[in-house]
Amino acid sequence: MVTETERPLRADAARNAERILRTARAVFADVGPDAQLEEIARRAGVGARTLYRHFPTKADLVRAALGQSIAEDLTPAVEQALDDDDPLRGLVSLMEAALRLAARDLSTLAAARNAGTLTAEVYTPFYESLTELASRAQTAGLLRADLVPDDLPRIMAMLTSTLWTMNPDGDGWRRYLALVLDGLSPAAAHPLPPAATLLKEPRPGDWLL
């Protein structure tokens, strides 16, 4: 069965849906991941029936809100990073883009994970791009050679875990990214212990939260 969100929307309906999603991200930022749909509808200036017509459940709403954020900020950053002639610069720029998104939409991401909507199709393209850029940087001698792909989601998880301790309007995460990047430099790098076996796939959204 084709749902409301799968049909092409009229211009006014599309504007309503976009406004609801932007408002949802703002409300989650203000209230937290447990924000109620009725409050989102009120702030968006639409009736609850309009919101539920577009997004029948909270899971539908948070998945779409996160998708809007990724489409606007992370997807273009992935494309730009992969096109960069300097793979290390591309890798750093993509990590920065992901951390900016996570810092801004932290509660939306938490709501999406709570709702079980952070599936592999959401985060796999990001991981794959990080892996490709890291491999290119290693080939160019710009990144320590003993880094393995499984390190990347863990590094992102470490970085994003600091966001809960910071002012969401600031960029304090840059300090910790700089520390990590120093550790990834091949200059004066000390040998690492063996990489830990990946016993299970990271939980969806672990790189974000």
Side-chain angles (χ1 to χ4, degrees):
M1 182 178 69
V2 177
T3 66
E4 176 74 16
T5 55
E6 293 172 331
R7 297 190 185 101
L9 297 178
R10 300 187 316 271
D12 58 339
R15 286 192 295 270
N16 279 342
E18 180 178 359
R19 184 167 67 253
I20 290 168
L21 294 178
R22 294 193 186 283
T23 302
R25 289 159 58 188
V27 172
F28 286 129
D30 290 345
V31 178
D34 295 328
Q36 299 300 304
L37 298 189
E38 290 75 12
E39 173 64 10
I40 293 169
R42 185 187 68 79
R43 292 204 201 182
V46 301
R49 291 180 61 184
T50 297
L51 185 149
Y52 283 109
R53 186 165 61 249
H54 288 294
F55 309 106
T57 68
K58 186 173 184 178
D60 295 322
L61 176 63
V62 295
R63 175 63 179 271
L66 180 57
Q68 182 188 68
S69 183
I70 289 173
E72 290 179 351
D73 298 317
L74 194 58
T75 299
V78 167
E79 295 171 355
Q80 183 175 354
L82 292 174
D83 286 341
D84 199 317
D85 292 335
D86 183 329
L88 181 59
R89 183 172 60 202
L91 178 69
V92 173
S93 71
L94 184 53
M95 294 172 74
E96 289 175 339
L99 287 166
R100 279 195 301 269
L101 182 153
R104 184 193 63 220
D105 288 333
L106 193 60
S107 289
T108 300
L109 293 163
R113 191 172 73 175
N114 292 346
T117 61
L118 282 173
T119 57
E121 67 186 52
V122 174
Y123 60 84
T124 295
F126 171 73
Y127 281 141
E128 291 177 344
S129 300
L130 280 186
T131 300
E132 180 178 343
L133 288 163
S135 177
R136 290 185 200 173
Q138 286 175 315
T139 299
L142 301 172
L143 197 67
R144 60 186 304 153
D146 52 359
L147 188 76
V148 299
D150 287 346
D151 292 329
L152 297 170
R154 288 164 172 159
I155 287 170
M156 291 305 301
M158 287 191 299
L159 289 168
T160 53
S161 70
T162 67
L163 296 175
W164 291 105
T165 69
M166 299 177 189
N167 182 339
D169 297 325
D171 59 355
W173 52 266
R174 290 188 179 277
R175 176 181 177 87
Y176 302 98
L177 177 59
L179 286 168
V180 166
L181 292 174
D182 278 352
L184 297 180
S185 171
H190 296 290
L192 290 173
T197 301
L198 191 64
L199 297 178
K200 64 180 181 65
E201 290 297 318
R203 289 181 303 167
D206 275 354
W207 70 273
L208 299 165
L209 300 173

